[in-house]
Amino acid sequence: MQSNNTHTKQLQDQNQQTIDFILQNQNTNPKEAALKASNNPNVNVAFAVNQISGMQIAKTKLPMWYKNNQVIYPSHISIEQCSSQATAQYKARIANRLIKNNNIDKCKTTLIDLTGGFGVDCAIMSQEFCKAICVETQEELSAISQHNMTAMRLNNVQCVNSTSVEVLEKVDYATIIYIDPARRDKSGARTYAIKDCTPNVLELKQRMLQVAKFVIIKLSPMLDWRKSVCDFCGNVSQVHIVSHNNECKELLLVLDSNMHSNIEVYCANNDSITVFNAKYNPDLNKVEEAQDTQKSQESHIKNEQNSNDSNDSNDSISDWKNCAKYVYEPNSSIMKSGFFKILSTKYNVVQIASNSHVFISCEYKSDFPGNIWKINNICSLNKKEISKALSKITYANIATYNFPLSVNDLKKRLKLKDGGNTRIIATTDSKNNHVLICASKAE
């Protein structure tokens, strides 16, 4: 393996006029900055505009990079596709737990990032290791990463311009291998299936597990996590469905050389983490829920209604609206996991219908992993009911779950504008009634 000892032309020292221009125009629209820079022959226009664009993305996505004026940004596509600092920090916490829980001496730890890119994941994760190797096939991008590691004083990171296959052939040991296969084919079209990504981690699995104690694989959040577990035939011990600000960003699998029938599924959204258990059946190559979920929705509803002196246990709108005081929307990671029955049992809430994924309760469940709303009104799509329920509402934020109308179509039908403090959840109950739940944020 050869490390980057020289920088490409882009990394050569820029003149002071270019540096001053970047700092003075860091908040300027890149297109406007390009026009301004073209009037100054002493400014490297392409470099300056790329830095300004990169800084503007990094301001919210990569604050650690943004705060360091020595950082050099790569092409626009590289910084757009890289992990955010927040998701990289989550991966660092996974690494920290694996090291601590297995009593591994940090002084003897090595991280190998086989798909380094701009180096965000490696830079953040490396702080949990004695040393780290950041592998990147593009020479210029690898050089930029090495420059930035030095600028951020991450002196334990060595950036290597090579391929993942070449490195795996030569390396003897790593505590953790991290790999984020590219989800685009040779023509640039998006791919999602694991086998269609580059490199093909299914083909590399055996060698990675020979080299490393643990392997962390980042996959598209579009994938079915259950099928992904099955693709690795029992080597997956943990699944992490990672969301940031309620947007599902990453699917992470943790593998080792052992066979695992018990799998921990972590649903993370910012600082909220909910853990579920799943079972892998090697004979059927199938993943199933591990917890007993026999407690029926009807009994949930009956318990809720009994606490409100109701005699009817059916969950149609005419019945459950009297027991429903709060409505719950699971966060995006929970939605992706599909653990809705377990969620009902875990938090003692009721799912309105098996395909709606909207939950209700008569008591406030403050620890529910998602948005919690206090119900003000429940109505059908009957015009008179809608008119009465929404008589004082002009602005609302609308969500639809298992509902025949889109958000935009429903907004037009209700003649409402976006905004305000009202939440309208449109869904279908178990009796196939289309309902509107009007709510406000629960304190």
Side-chain angles (χ1 to χ4, degrees), residues 82 217 234 318 436:
C82 74
I217 302 175
S318 61
L436 303 179

Side-chain angles (χ1 to χ4, degrees), residues 104-118:
I104 300 172
D105 185 352
K106 185 175 179 179
C107 295
K108 299 178 181 179
T109 56
T110 300
L111 167 70
I112 301 179
D113 182 345
L114 288 176
T115 48
F118 183 41

Side-chain angles (χ1 to χ4, degrees), residues 2 7 32 34 43 70 74 90 112 118 164 170 248 254 261 264 278 317 324 333 347 366 384 406 438:
Q2 296 269 336
H7 290 164
E32 294 179 9
V43 172
Q70 296 179 45
Y90 182 84
I112 301 179
F118 183 41
S164 54
K170 297 175 181 178
C248 199
V254 179
S261 57
E264 294 178 323
I317 184 171
S333 289
Y347 294 97
S366 61
K384 288 184 178 180
S406 69
C438 303

Side-chain angles (χ1 to χ4, degrees), residues 188-370:
R190 276 201 173 276
T191 59
Y192 296 103
I194 296 175
K195 62 182 178 61
D196 295 329
C197 295
T198 306
N200 184 338
V201 289
L202 295 175
E203 293 179 347
L204 295 181
K205 184 190 83 167
Q206 185 175 355
R207 177 55 184 164
M208 288 192 296
L209 292 177
Q210 287 176 344
V211 170
K213 187 169 182 63
F214 301 102
V215 174
I216 300 176
I217 302 175
K218 174 182 170 181
L219 299 171
S220 167
M222 300 290 291
L223 290 178
D224 180 341
W225 68 265
R226 290 175 173 82
K227 183 181 184 307
S228 298
V229 168
C230 293
D231 285 342
F232 289 98
C233 302
N235 290 118
V236 176
S237 63
Q238 297 177 15
V239 174
H240 296 259
I241 305 170
V242 186
S243 295
H244 184 63
N245 295 335
N246 211 27
E247 182 182 350
C248 199
K249 295 289 189 179
E250 299 178 354
L251 173 62
L252 305 172
L253 305 183
V254 179
L255 286 71
D256 60 45
S257 57
N258 298 315
M259 297 299 291
H260 298 275
S261 57
N262 297 313
I263 302 168
E264 294 178 323
V265 181
Y266 293 75
C267 297
N269 179 55
N270 296 349
D271 295 329
S272 171
I273 301 176
T274 306
V275 184
F276 299 100
N277 295 312
K279 287 279 189 182
Y280 172 71
N281 186 327
D283 296 327
L284 300 176
N285 195 25
K286 183 179 179 181
V287 175
E288 301 169 329
E289 294 179 358
Q291 189 170 322
D292 181 16
T293 61
Q294 295 303 309
K295 190 176 183 181
S296 70
Q297 292 293 294
E298 288 79 10
S299 64
H300 268 302
I301 291 168
K302 186 173 182 180
N303 290 337
E304 289 279 348
Q305 291 180 319
N306 283 342
S307 67
N308 283 274
D309 298 319
S310 173
N311 295 319
D312 196 333
S313 64
N314 293 326
D315 55 350
S316 65
I317 184 171
S318 61
D319 304 310
W320 60 257
K321 70 177 181 180
N322 293 319
C323 89
K325 299 273 194 310
Y326 298 93
V327 61
Y328 304 81
E329 294 177 273
N331 67 44
S332 56
S333 289
I334 300 285
M335 293 293 283
K336 176 70 179 177
S337 76
F339 284 112
F340 302 115
K341 291 182 180 179
I342 294 180
L343 195 70
S344 293
T345 304
K346 190 179 182 75
Y347 294 97
N348 196 23
V349 292
V350 179
Q351 191 170 197
I352 287 178
S354 60
N355 294 322
S356 294
H357 313 320
V358 175
F359 297 79
I360 56 171
S361 73
C362 63
E363 296 179 353
Y364 181 49
K365 312 295 182 181
S366 61
D367 56 345
F368 185 89

